[in-house]
Amino acid sequence: MRNKEKLVEILLTLIGLSSVTVLGLIILFIFKEGLPAFAQVGLWQFVTGTRWSPGKNLLGILPMIAGSFVVTAGALVVGLPLGLGCAIYLSEFATAKTAAILKPTIELLAGIPSVVFGFIGLTLMVPFIRNFFGGPGFSVLASALVLGIMILPTMVSVSYDALRAVPPVYREGMLALGSTDWQAVKMVVLPAARPGILAAAILAMGRAIGETMAVIMVAGNSTIIPTSFLDPVRTLTSNIALEMGYATGLHRQALFATGVVLFVIISILNLTARVVVRGKTR
Amino acid sequence: MIYSSKPVPTKPEQRPQAGRYFLRAFPVLIFIMIALSAMLSGCRPRAQTARGSITVAGSTSVQPFAEMLAEEYAGRFPERPPINIQGGGSSAGGRAVLTGAAQIGMLSRQPAEAEKELTVITIAHDALAVVVHPQNPVHGLSSDQIRAIFAGRFSNWSTVGGTSERIHVISREEGSGTRTAFDELIMAGSNVAARAIVQDSNGAVREAVAQDKNAIGYISLGLVDNRVKAIEVDNVKPTLANCRAGTYTLIRPFLFVTKEKLSASGQAFINFVLSDDGQNLLAEEGLVTDNQ
């Protein structure tokens, strides 16, 4: 009896560890494949170089680093207020019936493949931006809009759960003191749910920075540092996905090195975000 | 009362409970085993997949034509092993043949240094068409003008006789067969400007040009349709006749590469492609073949 229990425990532990092992192996592999490029190009040259032309051995990924940051920031500017507003409405103002319809609908949004978002962006947003704002249409703006919508489900679901987790007595206490609904939300519910909302923002950011397919279709993928919202842009993930099929030798290593840089950036962002969340909860 | 509120009631003994955990873990275990075995078997490159099918992999420019040929081949010789066409790009195609992952590679450019040891078969030639929006008044450019536009030296259509609008240059990703051919045939050592928009397929370039009346791009002549306008280059219209006559010079080869020893069924497919029937099919789809 006891032995069997022990056996199952060990098995489950191994299974639990397997995901960590897989992560470890992936990291090991990316670094093994990417580090030679750093050695050859030079870490500083690789990260701060502004020209990317693998055929001529010019391997600088600063435009793509800038691209990833700008596009992700833009997506958050679009997605965070929309998502949070939606979550507040669902949790605090919507009737049970409306919420029962809206919530699954928003979650359904998460099930739409990214290539579909990209295609809609390509056929609707890109021409719209070209006609109304000028430029080629393939732009930071198009990517930010598409990504902003793509991160909505994450943003809404996670912050909705955070808002729901605030005990009803908090609201009731405020209302009993004579506040309006909005005052109760603004002064009590939102501050109480802040860690959860921040967590939602972090998850949404992770989704935005990692998205590839939809961005490739609407961003234009030029290797320049964007100076306007109407400029085309290439992100780190797009750079890898666009060229991996063709790359050999140093070019291939440079793409893995791009992956290493992306990995480091995401780790730093996640860590900072975690520290911020922890700081805010105290 | 206490017993009835227990979350896992049914049977009092502990045995089935432990078994239940195990049952839950079981699919996961099986999945891990399958994944592991897949990884292990992946280490050994196999030329032949199930049912002895032939894998043809490589250039996405050649892919649609190869797919058409494979379909036709399967229709005519249903008893022969099926032909399995995969994309991935010219370089991936060359690599797939070298490692044995595919028997036939498709290239839309001249073989690179590493691919020199392979047997090269030219199945057809493809012309590159420089395309603009149908409403663009420009109907022809010299190759110098095209080079200047793609290098970013000319940035306004008025410089080359068009309306006073910014030129939106649309190129392909570095390494693609179409891009490599364009670099060789037009750019002659100059760089395509970093500002150029990069789309990842012929179809995406065509879509982008069809949408934007200030855009210019380049695609396979066979893929030009009425949504875009193929312009004259150095005063020569991009037509199949001009390609055959040798007056239109933006031409690249479509190649099959194989290892020296090719299976009989692989050779049979290549023979079909090179036969009059196969060549006529390619010509109908807009490629330049030798037999006419």
Side-chain angles (χ1 to χ4, degrees):
Chain A
M1 209 65 263
R2 276 257 156 264
N3 283 342
K4 199 157 208 175
E5 188 79 357
K6 203 84 201 147
L7 182 75
V8 170
E9 228 178 275
I10 292 171
L11 262 175
L12 289 175
T13 313
L14 283 180
I15 292 167
L17 286 179
S18 68
S19 66
V20 184
T21 317
V22 168
L23 177 67
L25 286 175
I26 290 175
I27 295 173
L28 203 73
F29 183 72
I30 298 177
F31 274 79
K32 182 179 101 37
E33 297 286 316
L35 288 184
F38 289 130
Q40 201 155 335
V41 185
L43 176 62
W44 188 245
Q45 185 58 39
F46 186 72
V47 177
T48 60
T50 55
R51 294 201 51 200
W52 175 265
S53 182
K56 300 216 158 52
N57 275 344
L58 289 168
L59 300 166
I61 60 165
L62 190 63
M64 279 70 98
I65 295 177
S68 274
F69 272 107
V70 173
V71 166
T72 306
L76 292 179
V77 168
V78 175
L80 289 198
L82 272 180
L84 184 57
C86 194
I88 293 175
Y89 170 73
L90 282 177
S91 140
E92 308 298 325
F93 295 98
T95 60
K97 217 171 171 184
T98 341
I101 298 169
L102 280 184
K103 187 97 196 313
T105 315
I106 290 163
E107 275 156 13
L108 204 64
L109 206 59
I112 298 176
S114 57
V115 66
V116 174
F117 280 103
F119 193 63
I120 293 171
L122 178 65
T123 47
L124 291 179
M125 278 179 200
V126 169
F128 178 83
I129 291 170
R130 184 189 306 125
N131 295 336
F132 284 85
F133 299 101
F138 296 95
S139 55
V140 175
L141 183 60
S143 324
L145 287 173
V146 169
L147 280 178
I149 292 167
M150 289 181 75
I151 63 174
L152 276 183
T154 316
M155 191 59 208
V156 174
S157 311
V158 181
S159 44
Y160 173 84
D161 290 342
L163 291 171
R164 283 277 93 181
V166 176
V169 287
Y170 285 26
R171 301 178 183 86
E172 285 155 14
M174 269 304 272
L175 296 177
L177 288 172
S179 82
T180 62
D181 277 339
W182 172 238
Q183 283 169 332
V185 170
K186 193 175 66 175
M187 294 173 191
V188 173
V189 180
L190 279 182
R194 190 187 273 160
I197 293 170
L198 279 172
I202 296 168
L203 285 173
M205 185 185 68
R207 173 114 168 88
I209 205 169
E211 177 51 41
T212 312
M213 194 61 219
V215 179
I216 286 184
M217 293 173 79
V218 300
N221 308 312
S222 305
T223 53
I224 51 166
I225 298 174
T227 50
S228 124
F229 276 108
L230 302 175
D231 273 348
V233 66
R234 184 186 292 197
T235 63
L236 290 163
T237 50
S238 313
N239 194 41
I240 300 173
L242 272 175
E243 296 181 0
M244 196 43 113
Y246 308 111
T248 50
L250 180 62
H251 185 192
R252 193 177 127 92
Q253 289 165 350
L255 293 183
F256 272 105
T258 310
V260 171
V261 171
L262 182 64
F263 178 80
V264 171
I265 290 176
I266 291 179
S267 306
I268 292 174
L269 283 178
N270 262 323
L271 280 177
T272 341
R274 258 160 221 276
V275 170
V276 170
V277 170
R278 211 169 291 159
K280 288 270 152 88
T281 43
R282 263 178 207 147
Chain B
M1 280 313 278
I2 295 164
Y3 284 118
S4 66
S5 67
K6 257 189 160 179
V8 191
T10 48
K11 279 175 193 167
E13 322 104 278
Q14 296 244 307
R15 221 155 189 265
Q17 203 177 340
R20 183 172 301 180
Y21 277 121
F22 192 74
L23 272 183
R24 254 182 229 169
F26 204 63
V28 182
L29 270 181
I30 292 192
F31 175 76
I32 290 173
M33 282 171 187
I34 293 175
L36 274 178
S37 60
M39 278 157 77
L40 287 178
S41 65
C43 295
R44 193 165 44 92
R46 290 165 306 167
Q48 301 258 340
T49 47
R51 297 172 60 210
S53 71
I54 307 295
T55 300
V56 182
S59 164
T60 48
S61 302
V62 188
Q63 190 181 5
F65 302 102
E67 275 166 359
M68 181 273 295
L69 287 167
E71 209 170 289
E72 198 67 31
Y73 183 75
R76 293 184 191 192
F77 311 105
E79 74 288 353
R80 296 198 188 163
I83 309 293
N84 174 18
I85 310 286
Q86 295 171 0
S90 294
S91 305
R95 211 159 48 232
V97 174
L98 286 169
T99 58
Q103 285 123 321
I104 302 174
M106 305 179 279
L107 304 186
S108 53
R109 53 163 172 71
Q110 296 295 346
E113 202 50 51
E115 294 151 1
K116 287 276 162 66
E117 61 179 271
L118 297 170
T119 311
V120 177
I121 302 140
T122 308
I123 63 164
H125 284 85
D126 177 42
L128 279 186
V130 177
V131 290
V132 298
H133 193 272
Q135 284 167 22
N136 194 320
V138 173
H139 63 271
L141 293 170
S142 72
S143 31
D144 287 339
Q145 287 173 320
I146 297 172
R147 187 182 314 119
I149 287 173
F150 275 85
R153 291 196 296 275
F154 290 176
S155 59
N156 198 298
W157 279 110
S158 61
T159 326
V160 291
T163 47
S164 180
E165 298 272 6
R166 228 188 139 72
I167 302 176
H168 297 150
V169 175
I170 298 170
S171 184
R172 289 289 306 280
E173 71 280 19
E174 191 134 351
S176 91
T178 313
R179 166 73 179 267
T180 311
F182 184 80
D183 276 345
E184 278 167 15
L185 295 166
I186 288 282
M187 296 312 286
S190 300
N191 274 330
V192 171
R195 267 204 94 79
I197 285 170
V198 174
Q199 294 297 81
D200 62 357
S201 68
N202 272 304
V205 172
R206 185 176 60 189
E207 181 65 33
V209 173
Q211 275 185 8
D212 183 355
K213 63 183 189 341
N214 298 319
I216 184 168
Y218 51 89
I219 60 176
S220 281
L221 180 59
L223 296 171
V224 172
D225 60 15
N226 55 12
R227 294 182 300 152
V228 295
K229 180 169 80 176
I231 59 170
E232 289 176 11
V233 178
D234 296 326
N235 297 319
V236 181
K237 275 206 171 71
T239 60
L240 289 181
N242 286 340
C243 293
R244 263 179 235 119
T247 45
Y248 188 78
T249 50
L250 297 188
I251 287 187
R252 60 174 170 158
F254 274 2
L255 308 174
F256 275 180
V257 291
T258 65
K259 280 198 172 157
E260 208 162 307
K261 270 184 76 81
L262 181 64
S263 66
S265 41
Q267 191 59 51
F269 178 62
I270 291 182
N271 289 344
F272 168 70
V273 172
L274 296 178
S275 71
D276 282 350
D277 280 355
Q279 293 287 296
N280 285 338
L281 286 168
L282 288 175
E284 277 167 31
E285 296 289 324
L287 294 189
V288 185
T289 52
D290 294 332
N291 67 335
Q292 289 133 348

